[in-house]
């Protein structure tokens, strides 16, 4: 049993010691920061159980350090010590002084916290800034600096060219323009010329690009409707940029059907008198095709056309007798150059647009392979030109005049036949005219042969040219309201769409119906293996009515 | 905030904001796909593009409002706002947004997280997948950085508090620093009687060992060429050189002290590192948020300036 007088020493404000004594007893006296230790040294530098005082076999009192703890005895580090009065034992910030034990006590220990309060004793340089705040980073400052830079470079500078034309012109030549950062995307095609100078189109701040800016250059762009009132009703608030959004997409033109369907989905709402059917989508809501046929020229010299529904099976009246079946016979058609198997493109040749076909002519189309030569054989051999009836007759007269001049016996015989006085000019002319008429009727102007093999011929009351050939009206644009590129469909057989192999008459129309197009094309909703086709795939907005 | 609180944050009110954000994500995606413009024709200037842009802007403003709300009702995290009269008696400025009364900071933060992720979807659809070197894409990139730093912050708040507690136990950083100082003192005293070379080693370890420091030292939790670690490495070698009389025992004790110090230093540095990593994101998140607001302003003004 050790009986220990423990004296707590504290200091007054003047530095004078105040001693408070208490007695503790035990087999061993534990020293540490743990609450269970009778000598309680509440500081983190002191171990939970730092040391203990024990009585040795010889009766002396020892102080032993516990665990890894160390004792500092009169400035010397030790693990164990025999306690002697006058000793100073440092444990953390505390100093335990061994004093002479009063009577009845085994030992007296004074206990004083001598070092400065916690936190002031760390070695110089140990404690560096331990939080990011302590490094002086300011969230608000950094944010404000970033925001100010952004507002300067991306808001203020781009606005400046709008304030001064001179500045605008100057900055356009800079490698990086002031307002380039505002451009949401590069300009397409020729518009790229204006890339550095926004004010070319954006004339006034906070005002939308006016249509006049577009039409100032694009003078050829026609209106969709020729009727002004109707145009205003349909497109009152629309701007060019509603459909032509440059900068923002890779193409300049909108391909969606929204704007078209806004009117054409219920066309009567816009124009009560419209003859057009409603259209929503090529696959699911498009009217059947119409066929447009020429009706000849009216009194004012304007070509008239008629628009007919395809399902009514209209017929063409080209005034031409022609059988596709005979010409496209797979075994070939006889020609002066031998039997020839003809192809569609032998006659139908695409023009430069790739959309329509070049006009067919007698020389280039019908007389290829020396076919359809215009010979006449009675009574002399010759060739007449393909042209007007009068030109044919003149050629005949020329032939017969020469024939009579070259053979006097023929002339005598002829003049006798016409009953005119011999050797008179009158008699010769009558003779030539008579021969030309008779041989023209017999060899050329026949109803179903020679000229009549292809043309409709009607006799007329005229002594000079007693036949009239009905003029041809071969249609070249069956659907003027749409564009169709034959060039783009070049990989297909013509007969896949145009069923002409068995057509025996030129009246047959072989334009494909909408169902044929829908075998490959769908509307705006994509479908596997089909081509998405918007309104503008076939129709042109600016080409005026009917396109 | 510990893991349990973090979980509550994400599950707040039976995943209320997760549901709201998911519904809006689905709605926006469906609208984008059904608009038939997916592809080259999609951009911010279409009707859907404007709607998405307006929605995204409102969400950005709402997310930034969190910064204000956090300061107003900070410290009552997870608790309901005190009633108005209570605040008045405490002399606090009443929170103006009446509708926000009763909202908890945790609720705000839950909404902040989910709406932030929703913003990512809305703004991406708003771009129509057109990007370039311009103020518009700058706004988008800043938004991405803000969201990315925010997601890192969420990760940090969910995981680091547990790691900090595991590392520190009941001790605080100041406790550890005091213990280190005490060990330094003891080691210095012990080294007094040892050869100069060892003395110099211990002095260097006392004077030059640092906890914390510059940004990189805080984030990495290391001191380059740490003198304490160097001393721990060198002491056994030196002890072989000077192993005579009672010095081996003293050197062993010194070595034990240095080893303990090294462990304490490592713990202290780990604490600084974890706290730095837990808070560093906010030094990007908040300033970039302010920068985003500026870029967004420039983006919107530019659209209408050059309409």
């Amino acid at each position: 049993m050790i009986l220990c007088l423990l004296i707590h020493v504290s200091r007054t404000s003047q530095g004078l010691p105040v001693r408070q004594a208490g007695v503790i007893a035990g087999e061993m006296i534990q020293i540490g920061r743990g609450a269970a230790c009778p000598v309680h040294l509440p500081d983190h530098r002191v171990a939970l159980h730092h040391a203990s005082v024990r009585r040795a076999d010889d009766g002396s009192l020892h102080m032993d350090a516990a665990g890894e703890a160390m004792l500092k005895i009169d400035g010397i580090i030790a693990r164990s010590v025999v306690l002697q009065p006058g000793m100073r034992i440092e444990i953390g910030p505390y100093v335990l002084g061994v004093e002479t034990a009063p009577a009845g006590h085994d030992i007296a220990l004074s206990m004083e916290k001598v070092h400065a309060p916690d936190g002031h004793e760390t070695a110089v340089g140990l404690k560096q800034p331990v939080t990011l705040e302590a490094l002086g980073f300011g969230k608000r400052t950094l944010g404000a600096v970033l925001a100010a830079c952004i507002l300067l470079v991306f808001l203020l500078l781009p606005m400046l060219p709008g304030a001064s034309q001179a500045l605008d012109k100057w900055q356009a030549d800079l490698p990086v323009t002031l307002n380039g950062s505002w451009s949401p995307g590069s300009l397409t095609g020729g518009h790229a010329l204006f890339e550095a100078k926004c004010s070319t189109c954006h004339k006034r701040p906070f005002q939308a690009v006016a249509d006049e800016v577009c039409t100032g250059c694009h003078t050829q762009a026609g209106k969709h409707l020729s009727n002004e009132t109707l145009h205003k009703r349909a497109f009152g608030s629309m701007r060019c940029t509603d459909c032509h959004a440059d900068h923002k997409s890779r193409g300049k033109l909108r391909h969606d059907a929204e704007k078209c369907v806004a009117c054409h989905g219920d066309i009567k709402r816009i124009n009560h008198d419209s003859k057009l059917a409603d259209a929503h989508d090529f696959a699911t809501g498009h009217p059947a095709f119409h066929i447009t046929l020429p009706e000849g020229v009216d009194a004012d010299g304007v070509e008239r056309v008629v628009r007919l529904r395809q399902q009514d099976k209209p017929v063409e009246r080209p005034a031409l007798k022609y059988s596709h079946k005979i010409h496209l016979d797979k075994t070939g058609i006889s020609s002066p150059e031998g039997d020839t198997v003809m192809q569609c493109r032998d006659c139908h040749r695409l023009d430069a647009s790739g959309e329509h076909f070049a006009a067919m002519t007698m020389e280039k189309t019908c007389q290829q392979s020396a076919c359809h030569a215009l010979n006449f054989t009675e009574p002399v051999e010759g060739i007449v030109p393909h042209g007007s009836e009068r030109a044919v007759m003149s050629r005949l007269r020329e032939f017969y005049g020469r024939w009579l001049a070259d053979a006097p016996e023929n002339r005598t015989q002829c003049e006798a036949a016409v009953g005119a006085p011999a050797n008179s000019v009158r008699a010769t002319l009558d003779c030539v005219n008579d021969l030309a008429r008779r041989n023209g009727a017999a060899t050329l102007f026949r109803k179903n042969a020679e000229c009549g093999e292809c043309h409709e011929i009607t006799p007329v009351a005229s002594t000079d040219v007693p036949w009239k050939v009905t003029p041809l009206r071969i249609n070249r644009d069956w659907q003027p309201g749409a564009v169709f590129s034959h060039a783009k469909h070049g990989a297909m057989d013509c007969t896949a769409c145009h069923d002409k192999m068995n057509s025996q008459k030129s009246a047959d129309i072989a334009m494909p119906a909408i169902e044929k197009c829908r075998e490959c094309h769908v509307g705006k909703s994509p479908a596997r293996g089909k081509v998405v086709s918007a309104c503008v795939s076939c129709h042109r907005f600016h080409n005026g009515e009917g396109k | 905030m510990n893991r349990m609180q973090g979980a509550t944050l994400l599950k707040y009110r039976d995943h209320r904001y997760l549901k709201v954000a998911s519904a809006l994500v689905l709605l926006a995606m469906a609208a984008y796909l059904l608009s038939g413009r997916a592809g080259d024709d999609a951009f911010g200037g279409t009707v859907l593009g404007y709607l998405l842009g307006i929605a995204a802007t409102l969400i950005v403003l709402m997310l930034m409002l969190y910064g204000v709300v956090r300061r107003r009702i900070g410290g009552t995290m997870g608790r309901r706002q005190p009633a108005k009269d209570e605040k008045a008696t405490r002399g606090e400025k009443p929170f103006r947004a009446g509708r926000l009364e009763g909202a908890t900071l945790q609720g705000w933060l839950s909404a902040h997280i989910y709406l932030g992720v929703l913003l990512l979807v809305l703004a991406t659809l708003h771009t129509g997948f057109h990007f370039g070197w311009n103020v518009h894409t700058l706004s988008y990139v800043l938004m991405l950085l803000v969201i990315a730093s925010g997601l890192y912050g969420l990760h940090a708040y969910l995981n680091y508090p547990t790691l900090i507690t595991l590392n520190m136990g009941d001790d605080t950083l100041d406790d550890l620093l005091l213990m280190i100082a005490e060990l330094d003192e003891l080691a210095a005293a012990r080294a007094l009687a040892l050869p100069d070379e060892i003395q110099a080693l211990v002095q260097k370890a006392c004077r030059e060992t640092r906890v914390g420091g510059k940004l990189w030292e805080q984030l990495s939790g290391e001191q380059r060429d740490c003198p304490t670690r160097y001393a721990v490495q060198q002491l056994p070698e030196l002890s072989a050189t000077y192993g005579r009389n009672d010095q081996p025992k003293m050197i062993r004790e010194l070595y034990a002290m240095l080893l303990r110090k090294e462990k304490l230093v490592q713990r202290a540095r780990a604490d600084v590192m974890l706290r730095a990593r837990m808070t560093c994101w906010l030094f990007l998140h908040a300033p970039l948020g302010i920068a985003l607001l500026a870029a967004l302003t420039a983006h919107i003004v530019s659209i209408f300036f050059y309409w």
Side-chain angles (χ1 to χ4, degrees), chain B residues 61-133:
Chain B
L61 293 177
M62 201 183 292
L63 296 179
M64 300 215 67
L65 192 59
Y66 170 76
V68 179
V69 171
R70 194 167 63 101
R71 275 186 220 103
R72 290 282 171 85
I73 57 177
T76 61
M77 187 150 182
R79 283 190 279 132
R80 285 192 171 274
Q81 273 291 94
K84 256 186 183 172
D85 52 350
E86 242 182 271
K87 271 193 288 181
T89 53
R90 283 177 15 210
E92 279 181 17
K93 197 175 167 186
F95 191 66
R96 266 180 298 157
R99 285 191 176 190
L100 306 177
E101 294 282 344
T104 62
L105 197 55
Q106 197 171 48
W108 268 90
L109 187 54
S110 184
H112 186 83
I113 292 163
Y114 285 118
L115 292 184
V117 176
L118 165 68
L119 181 64
L120 190 65
V121 177
L122 295 190
T124 305
L125 295 180
H126 173 66
T127 66
F129 300 93
H130 295 288
F131 303 105
W133 297 101

Side-chain angles (χ1 to χ4, degrees), chain A residues 107-257:
Chain A
I107 190 170
L109 285 175
S110 69
M111 180 185 110
E112 185 178 4
K113 192 168 186 179
V114 296
H115 288 251
D118 284 359
H120 283 247
E121 298 191 9
T122 51
V124 178
L126 171 64
K127 191 167 179 183
Q128 296 286 323
V130 289
T131 57
L132 296 175
E133 282 88 352
L135 293 173
F137 292 144
K139 298 182 197 105
R140 288 187 192 182
T141 316
L142 182 59
V145 169
L146 280 175
C149 291
I150 287 172
L151 289 177
L152 174 72
V153 177
F154 296 106
L155 186 62
L156 189 63
L157 288 185
M159 276 186 178
L160 293 179
S164 155
Q165 282 192 354
L167 185 63
D168 190 18
K169 201 174 170 189
W170 170 78
Q171 65 94 41
D173 295 328
L174 295 177
V176 178
T177 56
L178 294 181
N179 46 19
S181 67
W182 277 9
S183 172
S186 54
L187 292 165
T188 40
H191 289 180
L193 289 170
F194 319 129
E195 197 92 60
K197 209 162 169 236
C198 306
S199 59
T200 311
C201 300
H202 301 278
K203 298 282 188 195
R204 288 169 189 277
F206 299 108
Q207 280 190 16
V209 174
D211 287 354
E212 288 69 28
V213 172
C214 307
T215 53
C217 297
H218 297 276
T219 51
Q220 301 299 316
K223 284 187 171 176
H224 189 60
L225 296 169
S226 54
N227 183 321
E228 278 294 329
T229 319
L230 203 56
H231 194 276
K232 275 190 181 162
R233 197 191 307 162
F235 304 107
S237 61
M238 265 188 82
R239 297 158 47 205
C240 299
T241 50
D242 287 348
C243 297
H244 301 280
D246 209 347
H247 281 301
K248 291 161 187 167
S249 54
R250 289 193 192 115
K252 270 186 283 190
L253 182 64
R254 275 178 57 161
H255 289 287
D256 59 314

Side-chain angles (χ1 to χ4, degrees), chain A residues 382-436:
Chain A
I383 296 173
V384 290
H386 184 259
S388 69
E389 304 90 334
R390 185 168 296 278
V392 172
M393 287 306 290
S394 296
R395 183 81 171 136
L396 282 177
R397 287 193 194 97
E398 189 187 324
F399 271 116
Y400 284 108
R402 189 175 297 276
W403 181 68
L404 291 179
D406 290 349
E409 66 279 8
N410 291 342
R411 184 177 165 187
T412 310
Q413 192 181 346
C414 178
E415 285 171 353
V418 296
N423 292 324
S424 69
V425 175
R426 177 75 256 165
T428 307
L429 283 177
D430 285 349
C431 199
V432 166
N433 283 333
D434 182 56
L435 279 170

Side-chain angles (χ1 to χ4, degrees), chain A residues 68 77 126 129 181-182 250, chain B residues 40 135-136 186 210-211 213 260:
Chain A
E68 295 177 323
I77 290 174
L126 171 64
S181 67
W182 277 9
R250 289 193 192 115
Chain B
D40 279 356
V135 67
H136 319 290
L186 288 172
R210 292 199 305 272
V211 171
R260 280 181 64 203

Side-chain angles (χ1 to χ4, degrees), chain B residues 190-299:
Chain B
R190 169 53 82 218
L192 279 176
L194 292 171
D196 285 351
E197 216 170 336
I198 295 177
Q199 160 79 6
L201 203 63
V202 173
Q203 281 299 311
K204 190 177 160 73
C206 287
R207 282 200 306 271
E208 295 180 17
T209 300
R210 292 199 305 272
V211 171
K214 296 201 176 66
L215 178 67
W216 179 245
E217 286 171 328
Q218 288 195 27
L219 286 174
S220 66
E222 281 179 12
Q223 180 184 357
R224 197 177 165 158
D225 301 328
C226 171
T228 301
R229 192 174 58 213
Y230 181 71
V232 168
Q233 284 167 357
Q234 290 297 308
L235 202 56
E237 291 173 25
L238 289 174
S239 72
T241 318
Y242 299 106
R244 59 179 188 273
N245 301 334
D246 62 341
Q247 281 180 348
K249 184 168 168 264
M250 291 168 76
I251 291 176
R252 268 205 307 280
E253 284 174 5
L254 183 64
Y255 185 64
M257 284 178 207
L258 289 175
L259 272 182
R260 280 181 64 203
K261 183 190 169 188
E262 192 190 20
K263 270 186 196 164
L264 289 173
V265 167
Q266 279 172 352
R267 272 177 69 201
R269 283 185 186 147
D271 187 56
V272 170
M273 178 192 79
L274 289 170
R275 284 176 197 280
R277 289 185 183 182
M278 194 172 74
T279 50
C280 64
W281 64 276
L282 205 52
F283 288 85
L284 284 178
H285 192 69
L288 286 178
I290 298 170
L292 168 62
L293 200 61
L296 209 53
T297 308
H299 162 66

Side-chain angles (χ1 to χ4, degrees), chain A residues 23-36:
Chain A
V23 177
I24 48 176
E27 287 298 325
M28 285 176 79
I29 293 173
Q30 269 108 18
I31 302 165
R33 76 165 196 274

